[in-house]
Amino acid sequence: MHVLVTGGTGFIGKALCLALLEREYEVTVFTRNGGKARELPFGTRIAMKMDGIGGFDAVVNLAGENLAEHRWTEERRQMFVDSRVQTTRRMVEYLRACSDRPRVMVSGSAIGWYGARGDEILNEQSNSGGYDEFQSLLCRSWEAEARQAEKLGVRVCLLRTGIVLERDGGPLARMLPPFQAGLGGRLGNGRQWMSWIHRADLVAMILWLLEDERCRGVYNGTAPEPVTNAGFARELGRALGRPALLPMPGLALKAMVGGIADMLLTGQRVFPQRALDGGFQFRFPELPGALSDILRST
């Protein structure tokens, strides 16, 4: 199988490329960042433009500007839209022009689609409650563009990803230094839910969606045991052998990071019902085991 990956130079994409290569798939990464492309695993093909790639059997669309890197200015919000919605639209337009189309596209999304829902238990059958929330509007537009590929006869899987855990990137990489110094703790009141997933399980889920022809539609990329933010802080402190007693007040967090603070202070309680029903096996269904694996060499 020849797999075309967008967003392949990112935190999830690089791990996915390595897993695909280990299965002896051909891997082509579409990227305009030549510097980051040099960090990809040996054997990955690089394409700086879509024209002429051709001959691929599957697409994994992970492109998207990192929401957590900077404050959410209007310019940054537009970058979030362009890097997700517009990139997906261009991909579908390219597929429309292909005479030999791929069989499947796994396209990224996020659990922000559901909006802030408090303690409500959410699965793939739940509606989108965040009608006026930026991240929910963004995800709805993103998914709508990906679904256009279904009209071309492509099997489309939409992967709503939660908080992805690994030590070399994502939120955990930023949390580790203060927690290792004994300065960690809950955010706000700590009652907001964190729907997380070990990166290894997320990569395995993408491979499953690519390979199992029964899979189509929406899947939640989260572990089956979400935790509250206070519970997460407690487990991380325990895994590191450090106290986790210093809370970050909500107002202070908003002053520090701006718009993304709302995501960190609300959250969603999301379950991967369709993955479980489809027979997907999580290696790390519970947080203590996931953190133990990630931090075993700390």
Side-chain angles (χ1 to χ4, degrees):
M1 183 187 290
H2 182 187
V3 184
L4 174 64
V5 182
T6 69
T9 60
F11 168 58
I12 299 166
K14 285 189 288 187
L16 173 65
C17 289
L18 181 59
L20 289 167
L21 290 167
E22 287 175 346
R23 292 194 178 212
E24 299 186 349
Y25 290 159
E26 295 179 59
V27 181
T28 298
V29 169
F30 170 69
T31 180
R32 293 190 175 94
N33 191 326
K36 284 192 173 182
R38 288 193 289 270
E39 301 173 4
L40 288 166
F42 178 77
T44 307
R45 301 176 183 176
I46 308 300
M48 303 297 286
K49 57 181 182 179
M50 287 187 186
D51 294 343
I53 297 175
F56 49 91
D57 306 293
V59 177
V60 180
N61 179 36
L62 300 176
E65 190 76 15
N66 190 335
L67 271 67
E69 282 199 348
H70 303 282
R71 295 180 68 86
W72 285 11
T73 63
E74 286 305 310
E75 181 180 7
R76 289 289 297 172
R77 286 175 186 251
Q78 190 58 50
M79 289 176 67
F80 298 152
V81 172
D82 290 346
S83 63
R84 289 167 172 78
V85 180
Q86 300 300 332
T87 297
T88 303
R89 180 177 299 165
R90 288 193 293 271
M91 173 59 72
V92 173
E93 289 173 352
Y94 178 67
L95 297 183
R96 184 174 288 113
C98 290
S99 57
D100 186 16
R101 292 169 183 155
R103 298 191 299 272
V104 56
M105 179 168 74
V106 177
S107 194
S109 183
I111 60 173
W113 186 91
Y114 297 104
R117 308 288 281 274
D119 291 333
E120 184 179 353
I121 297 174
L122 305 168
N123 61 31
E124 292 89 350
Q125 301 302 313
S126 303
N127 66 0
S128 177
Y131 298 110
D132 59 352
E133 296 174 34
F134 172 73
Q135 62 269 26
S136 184
L137 293 169
L138 175 62
C139 289
R140 294 208 298 273
S141 298
W142 193 8
E143 291 186 10
E145 293 297 336
R147 283 192 180 277
Q148 295 303 307
E150 293 175 331
K151 300 176 182 179
L152 306 176
V154 178
R155 177 171 64 87
V156 174
C157 298
L158 302 169
L159 186 58
R160 293 177 184 161
T161 304
I163 298 168
V164 184
L165 301 182
E166 191 44 277
R167 62 185 304 160
D168 62 339
L172 186 60
R174 296 187 175 199
M175 296 172 71
L176 281 176
F179 272 82
Q180 287 170 325
L183 302 175
R186 59 177 169 79
L187 301 178
N189 61 29
R191 294 194 294 270
Q192 67 273 30
W193 287 90
M194 294 180 66
S195 296
W196 60 276
I197 188 170
H198 192 303
R199 186 176 65 183
D201 275 336
L202 184 64
V203 167
M205 189 179 292
I206 294 172
L207 294 174
W208 174 65
L209 294 174
L210 284 175
E211 295 170 349
D212 193 327
E213 295 185 0
R214 298 171 300 173
C215 297
R216 62 180 65 242
V218 175
Y219 291 82
N220 289 329
T222 61
E225 294 291 339
V227 296
T228 64
N229 178 264
F232 186 93
R234 184 170 57 251
E235 290 297 339
L236 181 54
R238 182 177 295 144
L240 292 168
R242 299 287 190 275
L245 304 174
L246 297 178
M248 170 70 76
L251 289 176
L253 184 65
K254 290 180 180 180
M256 288 176 60
V257 301
I260 197 174
D262 290 333
M263 288 176 58
L264 300 173
L265 295 169
T266 54
Q268 299 88 16
R269 189 180 184 182
V270 177
F271 287 84
Q273 194 64 54
R274 292 200 67 208
L276 293 172
D277 290 346
F280 180 77
Q281 299 290 319
F282 286 87
R283 286 180 59 199
F284 304 102
E286 297 179 343
L287 184 61
L291 291 176
S292 176
D293 177 77
I294 291 168
L295 302 173
R296 62 184 180 275
S297 60
T298 300

